Amino acid sequence: MFDSFISKYYIAYLEKVISSVEFLNKYSNNDKTVSKFITKPPKHIFDEAVKILREVKYEDDKNFKDEYEHTISPEIAKERLQKIIDDQGYGWKVIIDDNMVPRMSVRPYKEFRISSNCKFSEVDLKSLEIHEINVHTARKYYGLQSGLFLFLYGLDSSNIYDEGIAIYNSLNKLDKPKPNILFYIAIKIVTLYKMAEATPYETFKFIKDLTGAPDDIIVLNMIRVSRISNNTTLFSNSANSDSRDMDYLVGYTLVKDMTDEEREDLIKYSIGPQQLFELATIKKFLNINKFKPLDYKK
């Protein structure tokens, strides 16, 4: 029973790898038959994003002082984040990286990297704890504990739950949530949707009329959602735009009404929406194989 149960996930993963290789081959040879540049979100997700943007307006970061100011060096951030990870028992090492574009990245093999080119605020560090350590590092930790590569990256679409829980934590586990969390996850959906069907000017005007956000914020989001995706997205055989930007809002809508225990299970067992109905079987399979995770660190 369990051989057939787990093998289907490995087969699905291999099919994605094959699709990714085919995509890369076509892309490197300038094949015009590759998928369309923009990954268009479903209409109901677009509608939800529009609803959020009508209710939540952009707040200028300059209005926030003290704990929002970026005064903490990468070296100090490394020490403080390392202590949190050590206290949680995950065993990841915080490394300062001179070659990173994003501010931080959780790597599968026990590395939590932060950029040497960025400074952090007090709110940033707390956000990294509840978002990156308590969700992404935790998920990879439990994946390694399972002894199976498959669970290291999570089952299909697990990233949707990862990002959704991370957003939920950012909104509900901080005394002072960072500004614009919902605004940023919603504007990416609207931008993806409109760019798939309209000219850049029409897209810009639609978002400007909807949000009243500063011009540079709108343009930066148009650039972000149309950037060439990394290997993680290619492995899901999506379009060239980074469709993971959809995961934040989709995931948040799925997990926001769950209990804490339900959200913890989603992290510990690395499942996505497709496997939620199989969670009991997944737990039994991992238990038979001596999967003994730490208690989830809230």
Side-chain angles (χ1 to χ4, degrees):
M1 172 188 173
F2 282 120
D3 287 344
S4 60
F5 162 74
I6 204 66
S7 62
K8 66 182 179 181
Y9 290 113
Y10 278 103
I11 291 170
Y13 184 82
L14 289 172
E15 288 174 346
K16 288 185 178 182
V17 172
I18 292 170
S19 296
S20 176
V21 171
E22 291 175 347
F23 176 89
L24 288 169
N25 182 57
K26 288 180 179 180
Y27 185 78
S28 62
N29 287 286
N30 199 30
D31 191 321
K32 300 302 182 183
T33 64
V34 298
S35 52
K36 190 176 179 182
F37 187 72
I38 293 296
T39 303
K40 189 175 182 179
K43 180 64 163 55
H44 71 281
I45 296 298
F46 167 75
D47 291 340
E48 178 66 21
V50 169
K51 180 175 180 290
I52 289 173
L53 292 179
R54 285 182 175 142
E55 298 173 352
V56 179
K57 296 304 180 183
Y58 175 79
E59 298 181 76
D60 193 335
D61 291 350
K62 294 177 181 178
N63 295 332
F64 300 90
K65 303 295 184 182
D66 301 328
E67 66 265 38
Y68 293 97
E69 292 184 356
H70 296 93
T71 58
I72 301 172
S73 70
E75 291 75 20
I76 297 299
K78 174 185 174 181
E79 292 179 8
R80 291 176 58 177
L81 292 169
Q82 187 66 69
K83 184 179 186 308
I84 294 169
I85 290 173
D86 291 344
D87 288 346
Q88 301 283 45
Y90 293 133
W92 254 244
K93 294 299 180 186
V94 181
I95 297 171
I96 297 176
D97 192 324
D98 294 329
N99 301 304
M100 281 178 52
V101 174
R103 291 202 299 170
M104 60 74 49
S105 175
V106 179
R107 304 297 175 88
Y109 297 103
K110 300 188 176 183
E111 289 184 354
F112 189 106
R113 291 180 174 263
I114 59 175
S115 173
S116 63
N117 301 308
C118 296
K119 289 188 175 182
F120 301 85
S121 69
E122 288 294 338
V123 173
D124 285 335
L125 293 188
K126 187 61 180 178
S127 296
L128 288 175
E129 176 183 352
I130 65 171
H131 184 130
E132 304 295 347
I133 296 176
N134 289 3
V135 179
H136 298 312
T137 302
R139 193 276 295 257
K140 289 180 172 59
Y141 166 82
Y142 293 124
L144 282 173
Q145 288 292 100
S146 74
L148 296 173
F149 175 84
L150 180 68
F151 285 90
L152 173 58
Y153 286 97
L155 297 180
D156 187 34
S157 301
S158 63
N159 194 63
I160 291 175
Y161 279 147
D162 282 6
E163 300 300 356
I165 295 171
I167 293 298
Y168 177 88
N169 283 359
S170 295
L171 289 168
N172 295 279
K173 305 292 185 180
L174 283 174
D175 293 334
K176 295 182 179 179
K178 293 181 69 174
N180 302 314
I181 293 173
L182 284 178
F183 174 87
Y184 279 126
I185 66 173
I187 196 174
K188 291 177 179 62
I189 300 290
V190 172
T191 304
L192 275 169
Y193 190 93
K194 295 303 294 184
M195 287 183 71
E197 64 177 22
T199 65
Y201 173 74
E202 290 169 339
T203 299
F204 176 88
K205 187 174 186 307
F206 179 88
I207 297 172
K208 184 70 175 181
D209 292 343
L210 176 65
T211 68
D215 292 358
D216 60 334
I217 296 298
I218 299 173
V219 172
L220 284 173
N221 272 279
M222 292 175 67
I223 293 171
R224 175 187 168 94
V225 302
S226 58
R227 71 194 189 277
I228 298 298
S229 53
N230 63 18
N231 287 336
T232 302
T233 306
L234 293 178
F235 269 95
S236 65
N237 197 32
S238 69
N240 299 340
S241 64
D242 197 338
S243 61
R244 289 177 305 157
D245 282 326
M246 285 189 281
D247 292 348
Y248 297 93
L249 181 57
V250 174
Y252 176 68
T253 59
L254 290 173
V255 307
K256 63 184 178 68
D257 295 323
M258 290 182 174
T259 66
D260 282 342
E261 183 179 1
E262 288 170 330
R263 283 187 286 267
E264 290 165 16
D265 274 349
L266 298 181
I267 293 175
K268 291 173 72 170
Y269 298 99
S270 296
I271 65 170
Q274 304 301 324
Q275 296 83 39
L276 185 58
F277 69 98
E278 291 188 307
L279 180 55
T281 306
I282 292 170
K283 286 182 178 181
K284 188 173 181 180
F285 170 81
L286 290 172
N287 185 55
I288 287 173
N289 287 277
K290 311 302 182 186
F291 174 63
K292 299 291 185 184
L294 294 174
D295 290 336
Y296 179 76
K297 305 297 182 179
K298 297 178 178 61

